[in-house]
Amino acid sequence: MPHNFTTEIISETLTDIGLEVEGVNIVESIKGGLKGVIIGQVMTCEKHPNADKLSLTTVNIGGHTNLSIVCGAPNVATGQKVLVATVGTELYDEKGDAFTIKEAKVRGELSQGMICAEDELGLGKSHEGIMILPEDSVVGTKASDYFNIDSDEVFEIGLTPNRADANSHFGTARDLWAALNIHKGYDTSLARPKILSIEGKVASPFKVTIENTESCKRYTGIVLENVKVQDSPDWLKIRLESIGQRPVNNIVDITNYVMFELGQPLHAFDADKIEGQHLKIKNLPQGTEFTALDGSVKSLDKDDLIICDGTDRPLCIAGVYGGLDSGVSQDTSNIFLESAYFSPTPVRKTSFRHNLRTESAAHFEKGTDQHQCLEALLRAALMITEITGAHSNSQYIDNFPNPLPLAVAEIHTEKVRSLIGKSIPNREIQLILESLSMIIDKVDENKWKITIPSYKTDVHRQEDIIEEIVRIYGLNNIESAKKFSFSMPEQLANDSMTSRQIAMQYLADSGYSEAMGLSIINSTQWSKITKNENFEGVRINNTSNVQLDLMRPEALATALEVVAHNQSRQQNDIRMYEYGRSYNVTDQKEYKEDEYISIFGTGSLWDESWAIKTKDSFDSFYLKTTILNLLKRLNVTKFQEKKLTGDPRFEDAIELTMGPRRIAVLGEVSKSWLKASGIKGNMTFGQVYWENVIEMINNKPIKFKEFSKFPVVRRDLAVIVGAEVTYESIRLLANKTLSNYLTNMKLFDIYSNEEQLGKGKRSMSIAFYFTNSVKTFEEKEIEDMMKKLIETLESKVDAFIRK
């Protein structure tokens, strides 16, 4: 589309319609664009008086005076038309480094430029002598004009994930055309790319069968014969390189070119390698081996969509990666060209499963246009016939089992004006919708039925259409309101954010520092720590740092990194907490993300001081107190405590549960894990399972209870029990027996002595606190409750009460 709009206008327009321009780069077919290089004619040529291999020349470049230039080329002669780099011109060596032509004396003689060889200008690789032009070349002509050097501006656009319709050059141009048409009066029609004509062709010899119609909605293909696989022409290489794509060969380059042009990925097979001239789109059994284009062998998943030949041999991972056995090579003479619609979700899962992040997969993931498959196929076919000399003797194949009708939505123009906040006339709304290729069926003046084009995959309802209207109309054209009205939302439950702030503030007030670790870690290091070489987890293709390739599977992973990092910098006394997420794969092969608050530490609780004689360490008892107080602060007070066994993370640990839900775990970290992490000494770690805590908070409404006006009564018992009986079991029995009045318990002493208590016995000294909200307790009431409690303990845990 020819136009006279400046770069600034195009940038502003694209940004205004939601395609934010993040940068504009100049791309030249020859680096430097031959700026400062002029066609000249050698007027005189003599031997240099002070050098046998140099010549003194005078060159006419169309100026008032001729230039004096010292030249070292053996083929320079009077009368030649040559290319002259004038003083100040920047040229580039073979490494791409710039050097500037300066006026200088060479062996005592003045040189006012340089007569250039083709390699010095980037026009070729020869350095045997200067480049001699035809006699009819016009002196004074700029070299950039003579060689038609392209200089393009490449706009870098920050495309949001929902804009699949603009994920191509044509899609972006389509939106730009609509905005320029509405606001700048740009009435030139939108030209679509030329495609191959297939009139009069015979039926295709190939057959296509779609067995998985959910993952492959449409499959088109065409056979092209007598293909010559070789390097692409320069213009095609330059276009691809300008957008960061590496040219491979003419077939691959054309499929890539069309993918970026129209947003439709394509794939070319060597047609002679397709057994039975039959393609099947299907899923293969779990573990089937597939050799990819790069030579790597992939073990396929049963959910991977595969392109197979007539013998069910895998040829290609659909929409993701080609196969070595069917790929195009220098020996290929016939190709089968594919253009298909593969559903976004299966492509994305397969791409991540095999760590194959390709441009093709990226396009399919965002969503492509089912109705554009054939156009892209015939566009690429035309380019292949024009560039390689190939031809097609048969019709294309189009297997489209369930064509989707175009979406239709109803809009009310009064609603449009109400939501946008500006009175836009119906005629202007109509022009905007028509510029976006939307078909309007007017039910009445203000009620319209809109048929939405297939490439608008994110437009389904009235609000979506209104968003399209305001995008083209321009948010900058809508005046701000003089006042804003809003209502405060009613909080019906404890939201996670508020509770999290309470928890983190409590930890900070308790002397803990916040850690903020990365959610990606080194998989090799994690396998070393856990001694699990086969751990898969959630892998990512991290191109910015290949060592960080695993999403954090455990909260402990970050804690180990933080402690090791601090210890390596002589920080040994650590108390820290972190809010984060862990990422894992379920047995059903689904991704699972869990929120947590981890609390961990090492070393001493207190700084060295003359006033503190003892050196208390950060241990499980201290951490348990922190977690219990944290849960109490969040009004989570009812849970069970039990010993945790079989967890490889810990040497010794406990867990807090409520029914099937795990609330928290804590304990001393495994010695082997600490050693593998490079951590010295002991480390205590606890994890609060945040989503379970939030569920408990929301299931327990906050109620105010008046404080008792009457005194609290305390009674102490020394309970002798077997070593296997825990304080937690006694606490639960006491609460169950005296639930009406028992408000608190404290374990204040534990005593063991086999001679006095017996083998395997210990004594727990426990304080019981009783509260009555309506009156003062009478002594007999307290005695009756204590008697009942003692009887329960004697019968349930074989307790003996020390008098």
Side-chain angles (χ1 to χ4, degrees):
M1 297 184 297
H3 64 84
N4 295 317
F5 298 109
T6 64
T7 301
E8 290 73 19
I9 289 177
I10 293 176
S11 294
E12 290 174 6
T13 304
L14 286 170
T15 300
D16 287 345
I17 60 177
L19 302 175
E20 183 178 0
V21 176
E22 296 179 342
V24 180
N25 300 319
I26 305 298
V27 176
E28 298 162 321
S29 56
I30 293 178
K31 196 167 184 179
L34 299 184
K35 294 175 182 177
V37 180
I38 308 294
I39 294 178
Q41 184 173 15
V42 180
M43 307 305 294
T44 63
C45 181
E46 301 173 353
K47 287 289 183 182
H48 193 293
N50 302 319
D52 293 337
K53 294 184 178 181
L54 298 179
S55 301
L56 286 180
T57 67
T58 56
V59 182
N60 173 22
I61 62 168
H64 295 294
T65 58
N66 295 337
L67 300 179
S68 175
I69 299 177
V70 176
C71 181
N75 63 333
V76 65
T78 302
Q80 293 171 338
K81 299 289 182 67
V82 294
L83 293 170
V84 179
T86 57
V87 173
T89 299
E90 277 198 350
L91 298 181
Y92 296 83
D93 60 22
E94 58 184 10
K95 295 180 181 179
D97 296 329
F99 62 93
T100 304
I101 303 300
K102 299 178 180 179
E103 184 177 296
K105 285 193 175 184
V106 180
R107 294 288 183 93
E109 298 294 333
L110 181 65
S111 184
Q112 299 172 301
M114 183 173 79
I115 304 175
C116 301
E118 63 180 41
D119 68 325
E120 293 168 329
L121 297 173
L123 294 169
K125 297 182 179 179
S126 174
H127 195 71
E128 295 178 356
I130 60 173
M131 190 173 182
I132 301 173
L133 302 179
E135 291 184 1
D136 59 356
S137 303
V138 178
V139 171
T141 302
K142 294 179 180 179
S144 58
D145 294 337
Y146 182 83
F147 289 103
N148 294 317
I149 301 302
D150 290 329
S151 178
D152 288 332
E153 293 174 325
V154 176
F155 293 81
E156 292 184 15
I157 295 174
L159 195 65
T160 53
N162 65 311
R163 293 303 309 278
D165 61 297
N167 195 23
S168 66
H169 295 139
F170 182 78
T172 300
R174 183 170 52 205
D175 251 23
L176 177 62
W177 175 85
L180 294 176
N181 178 264
I182 295 297
H183 297 294
K184 305 293 182 182
Y186 184 57
D187 57 0
T188 302
S189 60
L190 184 64
R192 302 193 73 90
K194 296 179 180 179
I195 62 174
L196 180 69
S197 173
I198 42 78
E199 292 183 6
K201 305 290 185 181
V202 300
S204 175
F206 275 72
K207 179 183 178 182
V208 171
T209 304
I210 304 177
E211 295 188 15
N212 185 341
T213 56
E214 285 300 314
S215 296
C216 179
K217 307 283 189 184
R218 186 181 189 184
Y219 194 96
T220 67
I222 192 169
V223 178
L224 298 172
E225 301 172 5
N226 297 328
V227 172
K228 293 180 181 178
V229 181
Q230 54 192 10
D231 284 347
S232 296
D234 289 341
W235 70 266
L236 181 54
K237 290 181 180 179
I238 292 168
R239 291 290 178 89
L240 290 174
E241 287 172 345
S242 70
I243 57 172
Q245 296 299 304
R246 179 179 63 87
V248 179
N249 60 50
N250 49 12
I251 302 301
V252 174
D253 293 350
I254 288 169
T255 59
N256 284 336
Y257 180 89
V258 174
M259 176 175 65
F260 287 103
E261 181 184 40
L262 294 177
Q264 172 64 45
L266 302 106
H267 185 69
F269 299 92
D270 188 322
D272 298 325
K273 296 178 181 178
I274 302 175
E275 293 292 336
Q277 295 187 327
H278 186 186
L279 288 171
K280 300 178 183 179
I281 297 88
K282 60 186 295 184
N283 300 94
L284 292 177
Q286 184 79 26
T288 301
E289 288 191 347
F290 167 74
T291 305
L293 269 174
D294 60 3
S296 62
V297 178
K298 307 291 183 183
S299 178
L300 298 178
D301 188 89
K302 61 182 177 58
D303 294 326
D304 295 334
L305 188 66
I306 307 298
I307 312 298
C308 304
D309 64 11
T311 65
D312 287 345
R313 178 171 61 104
L315 304 178
C316 174
I317 301 178
V320 179
Y321 211 66
L324 184 64
D325 296 335
S326 63
V328 173
S329 66
Q330 295 295 324
D331 300 326
T332 298
S333 58
N334 303 307
I335 66 170
F336 183 89
L337 186 64
E338 163 200 286
S339 176
Y341 177 88
F342 300 120
S343 299
T345 301
V347 170
R348 181 174 177 81
K349 288 183 177 180
T350 294
S351 173
F352 275 98
R353 188 180 295 125
H354 297 291
N355 198 23
L356 294 171
R357 303 299 297 143
T358 60
E359 284 289 351
S360 173
H363 276 73
F364 280 122
E365 288 171 15
K366 289 182 173 68
T368 56
D369 181 4
Q370 295 183 27
H371 295 274
Q372 197 178 38
C373 294
L374 187 57
E375 180 185 20
L377 178 78
L378 297 179
R379 169 62 174 165
L382 175 65
M383 293 183 66
I384 291 173
T385 59
E386 291 178 341
I387 291 174
T388 73
H391 62 269
S392 174
N393 292 322
S394 60
Q395 290 274 352
Y396 58 79
I397 297 171
D398 188 1
N399 195 333
F400 200 178
N402 300 300
L404 287 178
L406 297 178
V408 177
E410 190 175 274
I411 70 168
H412 296 263
T413 54
E414 289 299 332
K415 183 70 172 178
V416 173
R417 286 183 275 271
S418 172
L419 285 182
I420 292 178
K422 185 165 184 177
S423 182
I424 305 175
N426 281 6
R427 176 58 181 165
E428 192 164 357
I429 295 174
Q430 179 178 338
L431 289 175
I432 291 173
L433 293 175
E434 289 174 346
S435 73
L436 293 170
S437 304
M438 296 188 184
I439 300 172
I440 303 172
D441 179 15
K442 295 183 179 180
V443 178
D444 57 39
E445 183 180 354
N446 293 314
K447 182 180 177 182
W448 300 353
K449 283 187 177 180
I450 309 298
T451 301
I452 302 163
S454 57
Y455 60 82
K456 286 288 185 184
T457 56
D458 65 324
V459 178
H460 307 285
R461 53 184 183 153
Q462 175 175 239
E463 287 75 13
D464 298 331
I465 296 174
I466 294 173
E467 184 180 335
E468 292 293 293
I469 293 170
V470 75
R471 195 168 56 78
I472 300 301
Y473 181 78
L475 287 171
N476 292 335
N477 295 322
I478 300 174
E479 300 82 4
S480 299
K482 294 182 179 179
K483 66 177 183 177
F484 294 94
S485 300
F486 62 92
S487 58
M488 297 296 293
E490 179 183 359
Q491 184 171 333
L492 300 178
N494 295 288
D495 64 276
S496 178
M497 179 65 73
T498 301
S499 298
R500 194 173 89 203
Q501 289 174 343
I502 292 172
M504 294 172 74
Q505 186 62 55
Y506 167 76
L507 292 170
D509 292 344
S510 299
Y512 291 83
S513 300
E514 183 177 5
M516 299 181 71
L518 291 175
S519 58
I520 46 178
I521 63 173
N522 185 316
S523 62
T524 303
Q525 177 66 10
W526 184 246
S527 295
K528 176 184 173 184
I529 293 171
T530 60
K531 295 183 174 61
N532 183 0
E533 298 296 331
N534 298 319
F535 183 80
E536 285 296 329
V538 180
R539 302 297 179 111
I540 61 171
N541 183 21
N542 187 358
T543 56
S544 61
N545 189 336
V546 294
Q547 292 183 334
L548 300 178
D549 59 346
L550 175 67
M551 298 296 289
R552 173 177 52 207
E554 290 275 358
L556 182 55
T558 299
L560 291 171
E561 286 186 356
V562 169
V563 171
H565 178 85
N566 279 273
Q567 283 193 349
S568 67
R569 288 157 179 79
Q570 290 77 50
Q571 300 297 317
N572 298 311
D573 299 331
I574 300 166
R575 278 190 291 170
M576 304 193 82
Y577 70 92
E578 181 193 33
Y579 167 80
R581 290 181 171 88
S582 59
Y583 308 86
N584 287 286
V585 182
T586 66
D587 294 337
Q588 291 74 36
K589 303 298 182 182
E590 295 180 347
Y591 294 114
K592 188 173 186 294
E593 185 175 331
D594 297 303
E595 294 178 83
Y596 66 80
I597 290 180
S598 63
I599 310 169
F600 52 93
T602 61
S604 175
L605 289 174
W606 321 113
D607 292 335
E608 290 186 36
S609 171
W610 63 270
I612 302 176
K613 303 302 181 183
T614 59
K615 217 178 175 186
D616 297 328
S617 297
F618 186 92
D619 56 18
S620 295
F621 294 104
Y622 187 87
L623 179 56
K624 178 182 175 182
T625 301
T626 298
I627 291 178
L628 292 178
N629 288 336
L630 171 63
L631 294 174
K632 186 177 180 181
R633 180 72 180 82
L634 295 170
N635 199 34
V636 177
T637 55
K638 291 187 177 181
F639 45 78
Q640 294 80 46
E641 176 187 324
K642 60 183 178 180
K643 188 175 181 63
L644 179 63
T645 59
D647 193 323
R649 296 177 296 176
F650 299 106
E651 295 283 336
D652 185 33
I654 63 170
E655 64 176 338
L656 308 179
T657 61
M658 182 63 178
R661 291 193 295 263
R662 175 179 277 181
I663 306 303
V665 296
L666 65 105
E668 300 296 328
V669 179
S670 164
K671 300 289 186 184
S672 63
W673 284 40
L674 294 179
K675 183 178 180 181
S677 302
I679 296 174
K680 299 175 183 178
N682 297 325
M683 173 180 168
T684 308
F685 173 82
Q687 178 176 338
V688 177
Y689 294 82
W690 188 246
E691 287 161 331
N692 291 341
V693 170
I694 290 299
E695 187 177 348
M696 290 187 66
I697 293 173
N698 288 331
N699 289 339
K700 182 181 179 183
I702 298 173
K703 294 181 179 179
F704 174 74
K705 186 177 181 181
E706 186 179 1
F707 293 106
S708 175
K709 302 175 183 177
F710 304 98
V712 176
V713 177
R714 169 176 168 164
R715 289 290 184 269
D716 296 345
L717 282 182
V719 184
I720 301 173
V721 292
E724 74 282 358
V725 178
T726 64
Y727 168 71
E728 178 67 12
S729 62
I730 294 175
R731 187 183 70 83
L732 291 174
L733 282 172
N735 278 319
K736 186 175 181 180
T737 305
L738 306 172
S739 58
N740 290 335
Y741 299 109
L742 182 64
T743 55
N744 197 12
M745 292 173 57
K746 290 181 181 178
L747 174 64
F748 60 87
D749 188 35
I750 296 178
Y751 175 70
S752 299
N753 188 311
E754 286 191 5
E755 293 182 3
Q756 295 180 2
L757 303 179
K759 188 175 181 180
K761 298 288 186 178
R762 61 177 177 173
S763 173
M764 295 186 191
S765 297
I766 305 172
F768 299 87
Y769 297 86
F770 300 93
T771 304
N772 193 324
S773 59
V774 296
K775 68 171 187 173
T776 301
F777 278 118
E778 295 181 7
E779 185 63 30
K780 187 175 185 308
E781 290 176 315
I782 298 296
E783 290 178 359
D784 289 343
M785 285 189 289
M786 292 303 295
K787 182 180 179 182
K788 185 177 180 181
L789 174 61
I790 291 170
E791 290 173 352
T792 300
L793 294 176
E794 288 175 342
S795 63
K796 296 295 184 180
V797 294
D798 194 23
F800 176 77
I801 307 302
R802 293 173 63 193
K803 304 298 183 182

